Amino acid sequence: MDALKENVCEELAASAGLNPRRWTVRSFALLLSVLFVSTPVIVRGIHTGEFSYNVDETQHAVTGLFVADLLHDHPLAHPVEYAYQYYAQYPALAGVVHWPPLFYLFEGLSFILFGPTVLAARLSILLFAWIAIAFCFLLFRELQDEWIAAAVALTLACLPSVLLFEKTVMLEIPCLAMSLGAILFWTRYLFRQSTGDVYRFAIFASAAVLTKQNAVFLIPFCLLSGLSLSGWRLFLRPAVLRAMVVCVVLAAPFYVLVYRVHWKTIAMDLDERKASAGNGTMVYLRALPEQLGWILLFLALTGILVSWRWDRSRNVTLMLSWIVACYGTFTLIGHKEPRYALYWVPPFLYFAFGMLTGYFRRPVLKKAGAALVLPVLATTLAAGWSLRRPYVCGYEAAATSITGSVNSGIILYDGPLPGNFIFFVRAHDPHRRFLVIRKALYAVRLKLGGGSVELLHDKSDIEKFISASGIRFVVASGGQSLHFPSQEVLRSMLAGPPFHPVGRFPIEGTDLDTPNLDLNVYENTKWTQPTEKYLRIKMLTLDHDIVVPMDRFNLDAEGDRQSAGPEPKGGNQ
């Protein structure tokens, strides 16, 4: 009876366009070939630059370091207090609540294994890129064959619009990998009716939404594809209902926490309008040529129009459900960026390569169509190989000029990309004897457009703060436009005693909003231990400030290696 049932399921799967064939040596060889060819393209330039992309990359890096320290210290008795103290010392932890936690676990493990470096963070992205490639291959191998699967997976890996995020420490690739896993197992369940697959879908769908909120597109995708292919009764099946429960149990705790402590900030970010209401529906359609390139876009649109000729209706329905779900989800979100719709690239690639290999019937034309796949792949590989990710560098040198000269100290930082500077302070401070303050002059709610407040107003306020807080070093940007009067006052104060210049560190790279940017490091020659008993961090994203006793920090300065002397150190004066 079980054998008969299995045969029936296999026949239904085959008629639906899902290929239940066992793996062959050729299947493994093709998948390994895709990984072998794409990996050098992905890792090219992996050592270049620091963290900068969209500012978010810097916060992802520091949050990964926090998780690494959390795993090392395992403060089970007081995790919230630990997080507050860590943020007070290294104030660049927006990722703790603003974004889901799953990626940071892998990034933190990478830091533990390989050390707190830029390379270690990018290796964690490489891991998810490999997972995405594998799931992409598995999905399209089952819908068509292993040759189309290899073409789609290789193109996805090396397409410049995707490759950019395989080279940056952002959440797009980890979320894409988990989403592809969820779609793979949902597809298998729709066509095979295997209970195990719907539970695997639940695991990967939960992992996707616990990696980035954009994975919410999986909900309309499942609704559209499920209703179209199996009807509404699909969602009343016990296995599907249990899978929904699994998703809720796994994902709900984080999102309940976000709703309670951070929802207003999230809503502000999502509601930000970058396009007028009339143009909002066109944002992602206009992004398609940049995401795919004109050749692939033309092939994909042609493949959709003639899909009735070369593909089974169920496969077409599944892919169109995927595209419509992405478009509808991200169009409804007020804050729009082309990268948000990265998740609909695979179905477009499927239509492009499927049309080339499946549309023609005559043997000569069929071979000609298949042969066209090679120049398309070659063009994509060439474009991917020539891509250089935007980068900055110079922050690490500024940080090590401080951590390499003394054993401890409190640093006042006022410049762009604070998370990048903070990452390197922590990375080069294994005993955590340095503390960075960046919310002294003013506080901002994520970005200037979200709201801000100036905390210090004149020279007297700043002098009192520096003295009471025990500020030993000040790092201030030069060449950058300033937004608050207190920033100008601080820089005028740094021009004379008691501040001594340690070094000027030019910030170089291709990801700079301001040319001729530099970081200027000064030592306060009259610094003393802080007289304030508490460090108060102004929080505009919470309903309360963070207050931590100063004696909680390990700021003992005994055994200082050397103080910055009369000659500048670590940079170009």
Side-chain angles (χ1 to χ4, degrees):
M1 187 67 179
D2 291 338
L4 178 61
K5 182 178 179 180
E6 182 177 350
N7 289 335
V8 170
C9 288
E10 289 185 358
E11 290 177 5
L12 289 173
S15 65
L18 193 68
N19 187 353
R21 292 177 304 174
R22 293 183 178 181
W23 275 65
T24 63
V25 173
R26 186 172 65 183
S27 299
F28 281 109
L30 281 173
L31 176 55
L32 290 176
S33 297
V34 170
L35 292 170
F36 181 79
V37 172
S38 62
T39 298
V41 180
I42 296 171
V43 301
R44 190 180 189 204
I46 196 170
H47 293 282
T48 301
E50 301 167 356
F51 303 108
S52 64
Y53 189 85
N54 198 48
V55 180
D56 294 350
E57 187 181 24
T58 69
Q59 296 171 348
H60 296 322
V62 178
T63 305
L65 265 184
F66 163 72
V67 172
D69 287 334
L70 184 70
L71 293 173
H72 177 271
D73 298 338
H74 47 272
L76 301 179
H78 45 84
V80 175
E81 180 181 339
Y82 179 90
Y84 282 167
Q85 180 175 328
Y86 199 96
Y87 179 82
Q89 188 167 6
Y90 307 110
L93 286 181
V96 171
V97 178
H98 194 70
W99 291 289
L102 185 64
F103 168 71
Y104 303 120
L105 174 61
F106 288 89
E107 187 185 27
L109 291 173
S110 184
F111 286 143
I112 291 173
L113 290 174
F114 305 111
T117 64
V118 175
L119 176 62
R122 292 175 182 168
L123 286 177
S124 63
I125 295 294
L126 176 62
L127 170 64
F128 283 100
W130 284 342
I131 294 172
I133 292 168
F135 278 141
C136 183
F137 182 88
L138 289 170
L139 173 61
F140 294 116
R141 177 186 179 271
E142 298 207 24
L143 290 176
Q144 285 291 334
D145 59 50
E146 53 213 2
W147 295 103
I148 290 181
V152 173
L154 182 58
T155 304
L156 179 69
C158 298
L159 204 61
S161 60
V162 178
L163 190 61
L164 171 63
F165 297 101
E166 293 171 312
K167 293 177 178 287
T168 55
V169 185
M170 298 287 282
L171 301 180
E172 272 65 34
I173 297 304
C175 187
L176 176 63
M178 298 298 99
S179 298
L180 283 170
I183 291 171
L184 167 67
F185 291 114
W186 178 253
T187 300
R188 284 182 173 177
Y189 178 71
L190 287 179
F191 293 161
R192 293 187 185 181
Q193 307 301 317
S194 170
T195 302
D197 284 328
V198 77
Y199 294 141
R200 295 182 190 98
F201 157 77
I203 297 297
F204 279 97
S206 301
V209 296
L210 287 175
T211 301
K212 191 172 184 181
Q213 295 92 334
N214 296 43
V216 71
F217 84 89
L218 291 171
I219 296 175
F221 164 73
C222 291
L223 289 173
L224 289 172
S225 58
L227 290 173
S228 300
L229 298 178
S230 299
W232 62 270
R233 293 185 184 276
L234 168 74
F235 299 100
L236 298 181
R237 294 176 186 173
V240 174
L241 292 174
R242 287 193 291 268
M244 292 180 185
V245 172
V246 170
C247 291
V248 170
V249 169
L250 292 177
F254 170 76
Y255 283 96
V256 169
L257 174 64
V258 168
Y259 181 80
R260 292 187 62 182
V261 304
H262 199 59
W263 176 246
K264 289 183 179 179
T265 301
I266 294 283
M268 174 205 73
D269 199 25
L270 293 179
D271 287 341
E272 179 184 323
R273 301 287 172 177
K274 287 196 170 180
S276 66
N279 294 328
T281 57
M282 299 298 295
V283 169
Y284 296 111
L285 296 179
R286 289 172 179 166
L288 275 173
E290 182 179 352
Q291 288 179 324
L292 297 172
W294 285 106
I295 294 175
L296 281 170
L297 178 58
F298 172 77
L299 293 173
L301 295 179
T302 305
I304 293 173
L305 291 175
V306 300
S307 58
W308 58 270
R309 177 179 171 85
W310 63 269
D311 202 6
R312 294 178 175 88
S313 60
R314 284 196 169 188
N315 294 352
V316 174
T317 299
L318 189 75
M319 294 296 104
L320 292 179
S321 296
W322 190 340
I323 292 172
V324 171
C326 286
Y327 175 77
T329 299
F330 301 126
T331 297
L332 288 175
I333 296 175
H335 183 90
K336 294 177 174 62
E337 292 187 31
R339 62 189 172 98
Y340 290 167
L342 199 69
Y343 310 93
W344 69 355
V345 170
F348 280 109
L349 296 180
Y350 171 81
F351 281 118
F353 288 107
M355 191 274 294
L356 283 178
T357 59
Y359 177 76
F360 300 105
R361 295 290 185 266
R362 292 183 181 181
V364 174
L365 294 177
K366 190 173 184 67
K367 290 180 181 179
L372 288 176
V373 171
L374 294 179
V376 173
L377 290 177
T379 302
T380 303
L381 283 171
W385 185 256
S386 63
L387 177 71
R388 298 292 185 273
R389 62 150 281 164
Y391 76 96
V392 301
C393 60
Y395 287 80
E396 183 173 17
T400 55
S401 72
I402 297 173
T403 60
S405 63
V406 298
N407 276 350
S408 70
I410 299 177
I411 306 166
L412 173 59
Y413 182 86
D414 183 36
L417 297 181
N420 195 31
F421 176 80
I422 290 168
F423 176 89
F424 291 113
V425 169
R426 171 64 192 92
H428 294 284
D429 177 26
H431 301 294
R432 298 185 229 174
R433 290 181 173 175
F434 289 87
L435 184 152
V436 180
I437 296 177
R438 70 176 181 89
K439 292 187 176 183
L441 307 180
Y442 58 90
V444 174
R445 189 180 182 189
L446 287 186
K447 57 192 75 174
L448 283 172
S452 63
V453 58
E454 190 168 21
L455 304 174
L456 303 178
H457 302 280
D458 53 34
K459 182 178 179 181
S460 175
D461 288 344
I462 297 175
E463 286 177 338
K464 290 178 182 178
F465 177 84
I466 289 175
S467 176
S469 300
I471 300 297
R472 187 170 187 177
F473 293 94
V474 178
V475 181
S477 60
Q480 179 195 22
S481 59
L482 306 177
H483 301 284
F484 299 92
S486 57
Q487 293 179 285
E488 297 179 1
V489 174
L490 174 66
R491 283 156 178 77
S492 66
M493 293 171 57
L494 295 173
F499 298 101
H500 174 77
V502 173
R504 181 181 68 86
F505 300 86
I507 305 302
E508 301 173 343
T510 59
D511 195 23
L512 298 174
D513 293 332
T514 303
N516 303 318
L517 179 68
D518 53 47
L519 291 182
N520 300 294
V521 180
Y522 299 86
E523 183 176 11
N524 178 9
T525 58
K526 294 185 178 180
W527 78 278
T528 60
Q529 292 292 339
T531 56
E532 287 284 354
K533 295 186 179 298
Y534 296 93
L535 175 62
R536 179 178 295 274
I537 309 295
K538 185 67 176 178
M539 300 299 297
L540 301 184
T541 56
L542 300 176
D543 59 3
H544 61 277
D545 294 340
I546 292 177
V547 181
V548 179
M550 290 297 295
D551 59 12
R552 296 279 181 85
F553 303 106
N554 181 25
L555 301 179
D556 183 7
E558 65 179 37
D560 272 2
R561 291 181 283 277
Q562 56 184 347
S563 178
E567 295 296 328
K569 300 176 66 63
N572 300 319
Q573 185 62 24

